[in-house]
Amino acid sequence: MSYCINPKCPVRQNPDDIAACLACGTPLLIQQRYRLVNPLRELDEPSQAEIFAIDDQGKIKVMKVLKNPRLLKLFEREAKTLQQLKHSGIPQVELDGFFTVTIHDNPQILYCLVMQKIEGKNLEQWLEQQGPISEVLAWQWLKQLIEVLEKVHQHELFHRDIKLSNIMLQPQGQLALIDFGTVREVTNTYLAKVGSGREVTGIVSPGYTPLEQVNGKAVPQSDFYALGRSFVYLLTGKHPIDLPEDPQTGTLIWRNTAPQVSSRFADLIDDLMAPFPGQRPLNTQEILQRLTSSSLGRQKRLSLFKSRLQWLIIFNLCLFLLQLVTGLLWLQAQRQQTWGLNRDRPMQLPSQVQ
């Protein structure tokens, strides 16, 4: 099945073996190479863009088609961002992956973005099936995502919409961050707007978004807040919006619902989602350093445990050998004593036998 790219087409499904839509005549082969094979979002959904799985000469990719031209700047920013960020945890976009399509007899111009299709499930889907994660897995996943964010922040960008539905678990176990439609560049102009209190486009995901971002003053540390909230969800199995907050400090009360988490790791999560940006880690390097320190401490304790276990095994082995040798000596002494008694006993001749 092929789909028509025209959002106003009355019947968008078409057979694979035709060149143009049966309902509106729009060509089904986009840019002479892309064929829309499956919508990844309901086509009648009141969203800003449509998303399709597409066939690019035998390879499956993803195409976003902008429906609202007022969001063109955000769309162009997403395309530019994904073209310059090269990381296995970020969808890749080729240099010719952003283009426009003109529909016949329709003045509307469609803006299209073709990107790598990240295989796997998002973590919200995964959590529904698997349940809360362990601290060990949380540590591994947090490190992966911080390394992805480090790549993003190094380009003076921040994501602004980190949540479980935007984090993909790939088949090989690696995480990927998707949906860069809300990415923002940290420019002097942006900082001037934030500093002067002028309005900046706000992106809000309930339960994940920090107060400064709700007020249109997001900063790179806003990503840390959303990431901390995401891990609370993973560790407790409860959406952050369903957890209580301290009425005085505004901090999330969650530790009692995650007994598997150590105080040290919980402290890091709480620091990530501190109420004010200045209370959160300064950058990704600081977070990685704390994760590394935690890992080294865990490795040191594990090494000490292994060392003690080895000595305990050696001690028990020596004790066993000692008991074995003692037993053999006792058995040998018993045999010698029995042989001595038999030797001292007088031998009876056959004639003496009655």
Side-chain angles (χ1 to χ4, degrees), residues 115-134:
M115 67 186 74
Q116 171 193 3
K117 186 178 189 300
I118 301 294
E119 301 293 342
K121 294 181 179 179
N122 69 52
L123 290 190
E124 191 169 64
Q125 297 169 331
W126 187 92
L127 182 62
E128 289 178 358
Q129 297 176 355
Q130 304 295 331
I133 64 175
S134 66

Side-chain angles (χ1 to χ4, degrees), residues 34-46:
Y34 306 119
R35 185 178 288 269
L36 283 56
V37 296
N38 183 39
L40 300 179
R41 182 183 291 171
E42 292 295 331
L43 295 180
D44 58 351
E45 186 177 281

Side-chain angles (χ1 to χ4, degrees), residues 31-81:
Q31 296 291 93
Q32 301 300 313
R33 59 184 289 191
Y34 306 119
R35 185 178 288 269
L36 283 56
V37 296
N38 183 39
L40 300 179
R41 182 183 291 171
E42 292 295 331
L43 295 180
D44 58 351
E45 186 177 281
S47 59
Q48 307 295 343
E50 294 181 339
I51 305 178
F52 293 90
I54 63 171
D55 183 346
D56 178 14
Q57 301 172 345
K59 187 173 183 180
I60 299 299
K61 295 183 179 180
V62 171
M63 178 187 289
K64 293 179 70 173
V65 182
L66 183 64
K67 294 170 61 176
N68 186 350
R70 289 177 296 180
L71 299 179
L72 179 57
K73 286 187 177 180
L74 287 175
F75 205 59
E76 290 176 331
R77 188 184 298 151
E78 179 179 11
K80 179 182 176 182
T81 298

Side-chain angles (χ1 to χ4, degrees), residues 2-14 19-22 24-31 34-37 43 49-52 54 63-67 99-104 106 108-114:
S2 296
Y3 283 78
C4 178
I5 196 172
N6 182 2
K8 296 183 179 181
C9 177
V11 182
R12 302 182 68 176
Q13 290 183 331
N14 290 271
C21 177
L22 295 175
C24 69
T26 300
L28 295 176
L29 195 62
I30 312 301
Q31 296 291 93
Y34 306 119
R35 185 178 288 269
L36 283 56
V37 296
L43 295 180
E50 294 181 339
I51 305 178
F52 293 90
I54 63 171
M63 178 187 289
K64 293 179 70 173
V65 182
L66 183 64
K67 294 170 61 176
F99 52 87
T100 60
V101 173
T102 304
I103 304 298
H104 180 63
N106 187 337
Q108 182 180 3
I109 296 177
L110 300 179
Y111 298 90
C112 304
L113 177 61
V114 175

Side-chain angles (χ1 to χ4, degrees), residues 37-277:
V37 296
N38 183 39
L40 300 179
R41 182 183 291 171
E42 292 295 331
L43 295 180
D44 58 351
E45 186 177 281
S47 59
Q48 307 295 343
E50 294 181 339
I51 305 178
F52 293 90
I54 63 171
D55 183 346
D56 178 14
Q57 301 172 345
K59 187 173 183 180
I60 299 299
K61 295 183 179 180
V62 171
M63 178 187 289
K64 293 179 70 173
V65 182
L66 183 64
K67 294 170 61 176
N68 186 350
R70 289 177 296 180
L71 299 179
L72 179 57
K73 286 187 177 180
L74 287 175
F75 205 59
E76 290 176 331
R77 188 184 298 151
E78 179 179 11
K80 179 182 176 182
T81 298
L82 295 179
Q83 285 172 342
Q84 65 180 329
L85 294 177
K86 304 297 181 183
H87 191 282
S88 59
I90 299 173
Q92 301 298 296
V93 172
E94 298 175 2
L95 294 178
D96 60 352
F98 180 69
F99 52 87
T100 60
V101 173
T102 304
I103 304 298
H104 180 63
D105 293 335
N106 187 337
Q108 182 180 3
I109 296 177
L110 300 179
Y111 298 90
C112 304
L113 177 61
V114 175
M115 67 186 74
Q116 171 193 3
K117 186 178 189 300
I118 301 294
E119 301 293 342
K121 294 181 179 179
N122 69 52
L123 290 190
E124 191 169 64
Q125 297 169 331
W126 187 92
L127 182 62
E128 289 178 358
Q129 297 176 355
Q130 304 295 331
I133 64 175
S134 66
E135 179 178 330
V136 173
L137 185 56
W139 181 91
Q140 295 172 354
W141 281 1
L142 180 57
K143 185 174 184 295
Q144 286 186 39
L145 290 172
I146 290 297
E147 289 172 348
V148 174
L149 270 186
E150 182 176 36
K151 185 71 173 181
V152 176
H153 288 186
Q154 281 177 350
H155 284 76
E156 297 186 344
L157 300 164
F158 54 108
H159 190 278
R160 294 202 299 172
D161 198 21
I162 294 175
K163 53 188 177 182
L164 294 193
S165 58
N166 283 340
I167 302 171
M168 298 291 294
L169 178 61
Q170 301 178 78
Q172 68 274 26
Q174 296 298 309
L175 296 179
L177 186 60
I178 63 171
D179 198 352
F180 281 74
T182 59
V183 70
R184 187 81 198 210
E185 188 174 4
V186 187
T187 62
N188 291 332
T189 302
Y190 173 79
L191 294 175
K193 284 183 179 181
V194 171
S196 63
R198 284 183 285 169
E199 184 177 353
V200 178
T201 304
I203 306 296
V204 177
S205 291
Y208 292 99
T209 306
L211 184 60
E212 75 273 4
Q213 185 169 322
V214 174
N215 295 329
K217 298 182 178 181
V219 291
Q221 287 76 19
S222 302
D223 282 346
F224 300 157
Y225 181 97
L227 192 60
R229 288 285 181 118
S230 298
F231 273 86
V232 166
Y233 196 175
L234 287 169
L235 289 163
T236 65
K238 299 180 182 294
H239 195 289
I241 204 170
D242 296 327
L243 292 168
E245 293 184 353
D246 188 303
Q248 295 182 340
T249 64
T251 57
L252 202 64
I253 302 174
W254 64 278
R255 297 192 186 205
N256 59 325
T257 57
Q260 78 278 22
V261 181
S262 67
S263 297
R264 187 171 186 176
F265 192 75
D267 288 342
L268 174 57
I269 300 300
D270 278 334
D271 288 346
L272 290 177
M273 54 183 187
F276 301 102

Side-chain angles (χ1 to χ4, degrees), residues 322-338:
L322 179 62
Q323 291 176 337
L324 180 62
V325 171
T326 302
L328 291 174
L329 291 175
W330 178 84
L331 182 60
Q332 184 179 11
Q334 288 294 105
R335 287 178 176 177
Q336 288 179 347
Q337 184 177 7
T338 302

